[in-house]
Amino acid sequence: MGAEHTRRARAVPGAVVAVVLGGVLAGGGPAGAAAAAAGTITTIAGGVGGPAKATTVAVSPCGARFAGGSLYVGDIAAIRQISPASDQLTTPVGTGSTTPFGDGGPATQANLDGSCTAVLDPAGNLVVADIFDNRIRVVAAASGTFYGRPMTARDIYTVAGNGTFGFSGDGGPATGATLRYPQSVAVDGAGNLVLTDTHNNRIRVVAASTGTFYRRTMTAGDIYTVAGGGHHLGDGGPAIAGQLNTPQSVTTDAVGNLVIADAFHDRIRVVAEKTGTFYGQAMTAGDIYTVAGNGTQGFSGDGGAATSAELGDPNDVVTDGAGNLVIADTSNSRIRLVAASTGTFYGQAMTAGDIYTVAGTGIAGSSGTGSPATSAELDEPQGVTVDGSGNLVIADSMNNRVRVVAASTGVFYRKAMTAGDIYTIAGNGTIQSSGDGGPATAAELLAPEGVAVDATGNVLIADTSNNSIRVAAASTGTFYGQGMTAGDIYTVAGTGKRAFAGDGGPATSAALRSPYGIATDSAGDLVIADTFNSRARMVAGHTGTFFGQAMTAGDIYTIAGNGKVGFTGDGGPATSAKLGKPEGTAVDGAGNLVIADTNNSRIRVVAAASGTFYGQAMTAGDIYTVAGTGSAGFSGDGGPATSAELTLPQDVTVDGTGNLVVADTGNAAIRVVAAHTGTFYGRHMTAGDIYTVAGTGSAGFSGDRGPATAAELADPSGVAVDGSGNLVIADLLNFRVRVVAETTGTFYGSAMTAGDIYTVAGDGTFGFSGDGGPATQAALSYPDAVAADGASVVFADQGTSRIRQVTG
């Protein structure tokens, strides 16, 4: 998520969402799905993406390995699997979330925090370097005992590292050792795990059995340093006395030597398994040698001796079927090869011991698909491997693609390829946006910060970091000018480019800049808090005149804000006013636009027609403050809302009686501006005055099952009113969704008393877990936006880039 983002929410008026029964919300997924038990949590949109055609899924590849007939691609917080016989991508490990943790449970529900390398061991288990969790983890292929512990098929377990960042444990159990960002892992011929303990500048081994390996006596399950830890480069001497500098990857060659990408030494180095001549050098068993790179960062040497060439932060190295070393020369945006013997490889005549570029021009870019690989552009490739057909597979990291250089002419990954040419086989070029036109649960979102539900039950998503507005269709039909299929997802506004453009034209051709909020009215108009453009914008649901502007159905228009951050314009045209990065919008019963003008600590209204609203005479198209003085603070309860202080209100909604309900985020409170005099939320209110209905003003967690005004909230970022009149709160930093009951009864599977507050989702832990089970036992990751009706709650689980639902 970008540094600009503050976590926030979006809710939709209860009157709008009260008709969604039987759609996406009620079914827990696509329309027609079996209803889940009350209080059950599920994901209804977003996740890791797929299974789907590999080139349609967003990936951020940082490594690749081929094993057991499949390609395994490291995708930061997941491991992707692609079969050469198929163009389908699946995710055998990881949820796409970097939050802890999942050991001992299904690998598909576990979280990884940096995963670039995955390999298969002799038993077929998948071994993963979980970088920022400081662990090596294993997904069992079958039930049995591996690495000294019983494992269940398809579950995940830690086999090295205790999760603490440090260096310790040599000569003892690997699970008790500390590691520092292990970037990669390999399996040697004896089944031992070999890992780059990157920030400890070491190569370490977890012994698979008791014996002598790398000239050391080892005990099964224990961990040992086999290279690095010295103070000098150490070439020609013992590997454990040599110095490594941030080694990024390790592999084994055909004779069992360890080959290391010694990245910050700008070298490729070898630890000899036995005495002999390798890569043109006489080597002694256990000693370390440079086989490529002269230690100077740069690019030079093609066609000459590899040890005289310059490399640029080589992040990966593998061997191909001919024994050549293939290097991801990352900063040079090239793939280079050190020839093991004299011959022709990848269409070039090569001399043993010399180095050659086999892909990339050295200019960072993305060109060249379908043309010779040496004429194509790469952008900081971090990983490379060789598949079962001898093709080079490249993790083209900054292009967010996996690309292949064909070793021969033929059909690979269901594509016709020409020898020496380069092709994309996975990734759509985006960081995390995929799935349009397919199932919402197979799509990828990126830090969604807003959610709403329209009158037909469609779920509207502010896909914030993808700079777009997307719709998960509740039923099959035409919505927002597009034919949609129930359960599928579609983009209805934004191109993905982070900018401001497109007013007066089709919304799908417009540029947004981190939209945080989304709302809809009963006529099908979409109102967007285009937060970092400091504007409120509208996608017209039908052709007509709105807020003083002639609009065409499907086109987008600014209805408030001039794009400059600040506060001006009250009492004048809304499009001339300054807003302060507004994060929430709503539409009231009169069609007026209500804005949470966050950085101005105000709630403002753009009048849809001339009249008196919230105690003020208003002119159509003009903007007015209805709550907040503009001074951040907490004051004013029981008095006029325009004299009260708010602090960074991130959301606003309208309840069934027309009151404004405000997530006064910085004050850790939910407050109400009464639309008329009466009793609401258990207390007498006067029209135009403001009242706290939940929260003490002190950030924390307390008060469940007691009066809401005595409970603590922590950064409540979203609020909605359901069809029963209950307040639903996205209690972001408590990792919970909570409800204040309007009446006594049973809601979301819990018995509730009027005026009291209850958790309906989240157990207070930060993470991702619990889908398919009780929502109160699930882990959430920044629940950031909420929409609700009498039967269900939908919220943006921002940290996991998912939209999740709690059945009522």
Side-chain angles (χ1 to χ4, degrees):
M1 188 175 69
E4 289 184 332
H5 293 173
T6 57
R7 292 176 166 73
R8 49 94 36 234
R10 174 61 239 136
V12 66
V16 173
V17 301
V19 295
V20 303
L21 298 179
V24 171
L25 298 183
T40 299
I41 191 169
T42 54
T43 294
I44 62 170
V48 294
K53 186 176 181 180
T55 52
T56 69
V57 178
V59 296
S60 298
C62 58
R65 289 292 183 266
F66 187 85
S70 289
L71 178 64
Y72 294 93
V73 177
D75 192 10
I76 307 300
I79 299 296
R80 312 292 204 163
Q81 183 175 3
I82 303 168
S83 167
S86 166
D87 62 355
Q88 295 295 294
L89 176 147
T90 57
T91 306
V93 192
T95 63
S97 169
T98 60
T99 54
F101 185 62
D103 256 14
T108 53
Q109 296 179 27
N111 301 311
L112 303 175
D113 193 357
S115 53
C116 293
T117 307
V119 295
L120 293 181
D121 70 11
N125 304 312
L126 189 65
V127 187
V128 181
D130 191 1
I131 301 169
F132 299 111
D133 280 327
N134 297 298
R135 299 171 187 258
I136 304 297
R137 301 170 80 184
V138 166
V139 180
S143 296
T145 299
F146 308 101
Y147 306 99
R149 63 181 300 176
M151 299 186 183
T152 301
R154 294 180 294 279
D155 285 358
I156 192 168
Y157 302 86
T158 294
V159 295
N162 63 12
T164 302
F165 179 81
F167 176 74
S168 69
D170 260 13
T175 52
T178 56
L179 309 175
R180 285 180 173 157
Y181 299 159
Q183 291 282 139
S184 79
V185 64
V187 181
D188 69 14
N192 304 309
L193 303 185
V194 187
L195 60 109
T196 55
D197 194 358
T198 301
H199 284 260
N200 280 321
N201 298 308
R202 288 171 164 85
I203 304 299
R204 300 172 83 179
V205 167
V206 180
S209 58
T210 298
T212 300
F213 311 101
Y214 307 101
R215 303 179 71 185
R216 299 194 61 171
T217 300
M218 299 187 182
T219 301
D222 287 357
I223 192 168
Y224 303 86
T225 294
V226 296
H231 299 291
H232 303 284
L233 191 66
D235 270 359
I240 55 173
Q243 184 189 71
L244 302 174
N245 191 351
T246 321
Q248 294 290 309
S249 79
V250 64
T251 191
T252 58
D253 66 15
V255 296
N257 302 313
L258 299 184
V259 186
I260 304 163
D262 193 3
F264 286 7
H265 275 146
D266 297 296
R267 299 171 185 257
I268 303 300
R269 304 178 77 190
V270 167
V271 178
E273 167 64 8
K274 58 185 179 182
T275 299
T277 299
F278 311 105
Y279 308 104
Q281 298 184 47
M283 298 187 182
T284 300
D287 288 357
I288 192 167
Y289 303 84
T290 294
V291 295
N294 64 12
T296 300
Q297 186 181 53
F299 174 75
S300 69
D302 265 9
T307 50
S308 299
E310 292 176 330
L311 304 176
D313 296 330
N315 268 238
D316 201 10
V317 60
V318 294
T319 58
D320 67 11
N324 304 310
L325 299 183
V326 187
I327 304 165
D329 195 5
T330 304
S331 293
N332 285 321
S333 292
R334 297 172 184 256
I335 303 299
R336 299 172 83 183
L337 184 145
V338 179
S341 58
T342 299
T344 300
F345 309 103
Y346 308 101
Q348 298 184 52
M350 300 187 183
T351 301
D354 287 357
I355 192 168
Y356 303 84
T357 294
V358 292
T361 63
I363 298 172
S366 61
S367 70
T369 295
S371 64
T374 51
S375 300
E377 293 173 333
L378 307 175
D379 196 348
E380 296 191 18
Q382 293 182 20
V384 64
T385 193
V386 181
D387 70 15
S389 299
N391 305 308
L392 299 184
V393 183
I394 304 165
D396 194 3
S397 302
M398 298 306 291
N399 281 322
N400 298 298
R401 291 179 168 92
V402 179
R403 301 171 82 180
V404 164
V405 179
S408 59
T409 298
V411 177
F412 310 103
Y413 305 94
R414 299 187 70 178
K415 289 178 180 285
M417 299 187 182
T418 300
D421 287 359
I422 193 168
Y423 303 86
T424 294
I425 62 164
N428 63 8
T430 68
I431 296 174
Q432 196 169 331
S433 178
S434 72
D436 269 4
T441 51
E444 291 168 287
L445 311 172
L446 186 54
E449 307 242 15
V451 65
V453 185
D454 69 15
T456 57
N458 301 312
V459 176
L460 309 171
I461 303 163
D463 194 0
T464 304
S465 291
N466 282 323
N467 303 296
S468 59
I469 304 299
R470 301 173 79 181
V471 170
S475 57
T476 299
T478 300
F479 310 102
Y480 310 105
Q482 297 186 45
M484 299 187 182
T485 300
D488 287 357
I489 194 168
Y490 303 84
T491 295
V492 294
T495 62
K497 183 179 180 180
R498 192 171 182 272
F500 173 74
D503 266 6
T508 51
S509 299
L512 307 173
R513 191 167 181 238
S514 301
Y516 277 36
I518 179 73
T520 183
D521 63 20
S522 57
D525 306 306
L526 300 184
V527 182
I528 303 165
D530 193 1
T531 303
F532 283 91
N533 279 322
S534 285
R535 289 175 162 93
R537 300 171 80 181
M538 176 173 163
V539 180
H542 56 286
T543 299
T545 300
F546 313 100
F547 301 100
Q549 298 185 53
M551 299 188 184
T552 300
D555 288 357
I556 193 169
Y557 304 84
T558 294
I559 53 177
N562 63 11
K564 297 178 180 179
V565 179
F567 174 75
T568 62
D570 264 8
T575 51
S576 299
K578 291 182 182 178
L579 303 177
K581 296 183 179 178
E583 298 193 13
T585 57
V587 181
D588 69 16
N592 302 310
L593 172 63
V594 187
I595 302 169
D597 194 3
T598 305
N599 283 14
N600 284 323
S601 291
R602 298 173 184 256
I603 304 300
R604 301 171 82 181
V605 167
V606 180
S610 297
T612 300
F613 309 102
Y614 308 101
Q616 298 184 48
M618 299 187 182
T619 300
D622 288 357
I623 193 168
Y624 304 84
T625 294
V626 295
T629 63
S631 177
F634 181 80
S635 69
D637 261 11
T642 50
S643 300
E645 291 176 325
L646 308 173
T647 300
L648 299 176
Q650 293 187 358
D651 198 16
V652 62
T653 192
V654 185
D655 69 16
T657 58
N659 303 311
L660 301 184
V661 186
V662 180
D664 193 2
T665 308
N667 284 322
I670 304 299
R671 301 173 81 181
V672 168
V673 179
H676 54 272
T677 300
T679 300
F680 312 104
Y681 308 104
R683 62 184 302 175
H684 180 75
M685 299 186 183
T686 300
D689 288 356
I690 193 168
Y691 303 85
T692 295
V693 294
T696 63
S698 175
F701 176 74
S702 68
D704 259 11
R705 300 186 175 277
T709 51
E712 290 177 321
L713 307 173
D715 204 7
S717 294
V719 64
V721 182
D722 69 18
S724 299
N726 304 309
L727 298 183
V728 186
I729 303 166
D731 196 1
L732 186 137
L733 293 184
N734 281 322
F735 312 117
R736 290 174 162 91
V737 176
R738 300 170 82 181
V739 165
V740 180
E742 168 66 4
T743 57
T744 297
T746 299
F747 308 101
Y748 312 104
S750 297
M752 300 186 183
T753 300
D756 288 356
I757 192 169
Y758 302 83
T759 294
V760 296
D763 62 4
T765 61
F766 173 63
F768 173 74
S769 68
D771 267 8
T776 52
Q777 297 177 24
L780 312 183
S781 180
Y782 300 124
D784 203 8
V786 64
D789 72 355
S792 57
V793 167
V794 176
F795 64 94
D797 201 15
Q798 188 266 347
T800 64
S801 292
R802 288 170 165 83
I803 306 300
R804 301 175 80 182
Q805 171 192 318
V806 181
T807 55

